[in-house]
């Protein structure tokens, strides 16, 4: 197998450059999907595609593809990448590392093709998927969901943020509502930081995610009665936030009944009228149930519904579900996992199989092609925080694995 060589200095430089796009003073980035910060990062990426001789495509949902069609129009496409959008005040590695590793890998492979040491039978595309994070617009994975056909474009365009701005309007505002028709992949490989402590705890550098947890994401609302927090007698209060509080506690207790197979959270709460002197009349919660076992997710949703009704009764308010999104648990491609293992062995990297609890665009791509995510060590297991960190040597090790895997597929994949 011909193997291109990653330029580790280029990888480090690209990581620094992307981190300066909407960077924050504490070392993180602040670029939720389709904000001005996201536009800055996208413009940076488009410029890098141009510098590397890659043809840029932007589809109607704003997904970006840097394409090297060196094997011809009829050849298969191998894809890699991740996302540049972040959580509010997020970290510089989550998502961005996968895009940057793809760029550095493309540069290495392009040089191998130029020198004749790699004869491509497949084309290569580096991807930046729209709204992976789901911070500004829900659900997450909107760009890759539209791409694979699991979400209609019109539905995605109509999604609105907390200020009522639609995805379509936001794409227009930053100039990234495209018209291009991107290629379809024969395989997809995504690099990522682990966002968990397992590799660091075992002093390992990297490993493939072999399976992914499922998730049920629910938006629920309690409705009570707005009243004065002073003279209103306690027994007459119908406090929507009290109902929400009961539910949050019950959700945490559910995890005790399904130890290590269920994670629950409420990451966002909106209240009305949101005044310190008024009893909350409306509390909206964004709830997540995550598990690697589909039956556990089914049970958890049933338990949630019981807890919702009980919490509403205890607080003397109404409670109901506004929206539910279900994402099934599953496994990544075994053949790609083997390629990753072989590449790691060739690089002398000791790792292990992992499970991803967080979602990745590769989960959506798995619906249409062999797909996998390869993780590198996260220091402290911290993610979605400006202090998230992965060492340069671990980032480089992961990029070397990526280039080996891509090189093998580009050289061997046939139409």
């Amino acid at each position: 197998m011909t193997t291109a060589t990653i330029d580790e200095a280029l990888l480090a430089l690209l990581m620094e450059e992307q981190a300066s796009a909407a960077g924050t003073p504490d070392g993180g980035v602040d670029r939720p999907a389709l904000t001005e910060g996201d536009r800055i990062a996208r413009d940076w990426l488009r410029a890098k595609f141009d510098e590397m001789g890659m043809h840029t495509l932007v589809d109607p949902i704003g997904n970006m593809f840097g394409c090297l069609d060196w094997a011809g129009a009829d050849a298969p496409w191998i894809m890699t990448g991740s996302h540049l959008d972040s959580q509010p005040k997020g970290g510089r590695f989550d998502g961005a590392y996968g895009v940057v590793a793809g760029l550095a890998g493309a540069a290495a492979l392009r040089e191998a093709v130029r020198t004749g040491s790699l004869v491509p039978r497949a084309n290569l595309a580096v991807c930046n998927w729209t709204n992976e994070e789901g911070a500004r617009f829900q659900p997450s994975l909107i760009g890759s969901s539209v791409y694979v056909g699991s979400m209609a474009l019109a539905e995605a365009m109509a999604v609105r943020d907390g200020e009522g701005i639609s995805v379509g309007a936001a794409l227009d505002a930053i100039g990234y509502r495209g018209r291009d028709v991107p290629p379809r992949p024969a395989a997809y490989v995504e690099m990522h930081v682990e966002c968990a402590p397992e590799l660091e705890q075992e002093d390992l550098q990297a490993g493939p995610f072999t399976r992914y947890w499922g998730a049920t994401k629910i938006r629920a609302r309690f409705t009570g009665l707005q009243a004065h927090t002073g003279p209103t007698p306690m027994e007459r209060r119908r406090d929507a936030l009290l109902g929400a509080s009961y539910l949050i506690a019950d959700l945490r207790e559910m995890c005790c009944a399904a130890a290590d197979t269920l994670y629950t959270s409420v990451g966002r709460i909106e209240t009305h009228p949101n005044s310190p002197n008024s009893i909350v009349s409306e509390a909206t919660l964004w709830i997540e149930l995550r598990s690697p076992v589909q039956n556990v997710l089914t049970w958890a949703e049933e338990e949630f519904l019981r807890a919702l009704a009980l919490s509403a009764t205890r607080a003397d308010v109404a409670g109901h579900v506004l929206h539910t999104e279900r994402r099934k648990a599953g496994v990544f491609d075994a053949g790609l996992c083997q390629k990753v293992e072989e590449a790691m062995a060739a690089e002398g990297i000791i790792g292990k199989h992992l499970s991803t609890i967080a979602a990745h665009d590769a989960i959506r791509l798995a619906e249409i092609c062999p797909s996998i995510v390869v993780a590198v060590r996260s220091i402290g297991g911290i993610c979605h925080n400006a202090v998230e960190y992965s060492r340069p040597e671990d980032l480089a090790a992961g990029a070397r694995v990526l280039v080996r895997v891509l090189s093998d597929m580009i050289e061997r994949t046939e139409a």
Side-chain angles (χ1 to χ4, degrees), residues 277-357:
N277 296 318
S278 292
I279 295 167
V280 174
S281 61
E282 187 175 277
T284 305
L285 288 73
W286 278 256
I287 298 152
E288 291 187 356
L289 314 171
R290 296 179 187 255
S291 177
V293 182
Q294 200 60 44
N295 288 344
V296 172
L297 280 177
T298 301
W299 168 83
E301 187 173 351
E302 293 170 352
E303 286 297 302
F304 155 76
L305 291 171
R306 280 193 282 270
L308 176 69
L310 178 60
S311 298
T313 298
R314 290 179 66 189
D316 192 22
V317 297
H320 60 283
V321 174
L322 301 176
H323 179 77
T324 302
E325 175 201 356
R326 300 175 183 89
R327 186 171 64 237
K328 291 184 177 180
V331 296
F332 287 114
D333 184 74
L336 283 180
C337 181
Q338 182 177 348
K339 287 183 182 295
V340 170
E341 291 172 335
E342 292 170 353
M344 289 174 60
E347 290 291 337
I349 297 171
I350 300 174
K352 63 176 295 184
H353 289 181
L354 300 163
S355 296
T356 178
I357 301 173

Side-chain angles (χ1 to χ4, degrees), residues 31 40 50 85 100 112 172 191 220 269 289 341 346 375 386-387 390 406:
R31 47 190 195 221
I40 294 170
D50 291 344
D85 71 308
V100 167
D172 288 337
M191 298 302 301
I269 303 174
L289 314 171
E341 291 172 335
V387 303
S390 289
L406 294 178

Side-chain angles (χ1 to χ4, degrees), residues 42 58-64 128-130 157 171 176-178:
R42 286 167 171 268
V58 181
D59 71 7
I61 196 60
N63 296 320
M64 299 175 67
N128 172 38
W129 303 104
T130 295
M157 288 295 194
L171 280 168
Y176 275 91
R177 188 202 288 248

Side-chain angles (χ1 to χ4, degrees), residues 250-265 299:
D250 287 345
L251 285 167
R252 181 63 181 84
E253 289 301 311
M254 283 168 53
C255 297
C256 299
D260 300 324
T261 60
L262 178 67
Y263 288 4
T264 66
S265 68
W299 168 83

